[in-house]
Amino acid sequence: MRKRKRRRLNWRNIIRLFLFIILIAGGVYGFSVYKSINNAVATMHEPLDGKQSKVKPEALKKKEPFSVLMLGVDEREGDKGRSDTMIVLTVNPNNNSVKMLSIPRDTRTEIVGKGKEDKINHAYAFGGVPMAVDTVEKFLDIPIDYYVKINMEGFKDIVDTVGGINVENDFAFKMEEFNFPTGRIHLNGEEALIYIRMRYDDPNGDFGRQERQRQVIQAVINEGASISSLSKAPDIFHAIGSNVKTNLTFEEMIDIQKNYKDAGKNIEQMVLQSEGKMIDNIYYGLVTIAEQQRIQDELKSQLEMNSES
């Protein structure tokens, strides 16, 4: 793995749902709430099997650049699930920016540990978070410092706990028995889950679905961080602890909130260009070597990695 110069870090969108935890952690000091946060984080904390953290203990205190892989996993009873959403965030304080790359689920690449090429979202199904992290690292040629996995099936519990959310819907559509009109709409947990899963009727396809996912998670943050939700904090943190896993520790979350709460005002959405193609009757998104190199170079620059091998 390439070395990089570590300097400072930038933050905010370090995964929408996760920021929700950080914001409340920084704004609520009651013992019962603090205890709820601590218990939730203890439940959430899940180190990567067989993988040591690449981030030194003092890195966040020194405000160094870092990366996060967010996995939105569709796990249902009796099914290990696949990572329907894969978002890489690279955070840098020296240019005061966060770069966010959504990797389309159908992207064809080498699945590290399986010895074959397949859709990148299959890495999680084959080998869980460790294989997903290894595969993304190989595809992007950067280290992944942290991960956050959200169980999207259980996400509806979080939405219901905060009392539902409001979103701005760009176009009207119907899915199953639910109607989603254009404009500002209120969603309960089940409706929010349907809202973020729809993609086939979206003119922007999978990218449009990813936009709705981010919109819903941001709405959860806004609602959860509001004054009216403070009394629900223990229930909120219980719902989060049951549906989110991460290798971030409580101390690291506090360091991020304390040192970088004003960062991330400049969030840039990166777009990975690919061409759809049928191979053996399976649809894949093919990324050219030139496009892959372009994305790698931009992310390495953001992380202040040197050019040495």
Side-chain angles (χ1 to χ4, degrees), residues 2 158 210:
R2 298 177 187 270
I158 300 173
Q210 292 168 359

Side-chain angles (χ1 to χ4, degrees), residues 170-209:
D170 292 337
F171 65 95
F173 65 91
K174 180 178 181 180
M175 187 171 178
E176 298 181 7
E177 72 271 26
F178 299 100
N179 286 300
F180 300 93
T182 303
R184 186 176 179 84
I185 55 177
H186 184 81
L187 305 176
N188 63 26
E190 186 175 7
E191 291 167 339
L193 196 61
I194 297 296
Y195 182 75
I196 62 180
R197 279 179 172 164
M198 192 281 286
R199 67 170 175 151
Y200 293 110
D201 292 333
D202 193 317
N204 292 319
D206 198 52
F207 184 78
R209 185 175 68 99

Side-chain angles (χ1 to χ4, degrees), residues 92-109:
N92 186 303
N94 299 316
N95 58 22
N96 195 36
S97 72
V98 175
K99 293 198 176 185
M100 177 187 294
L101 174 68
S102 295
I103 306 176
R105 53 186 282 177
D106 296 326
T107 301
R108 184 179 172 91
T109 190

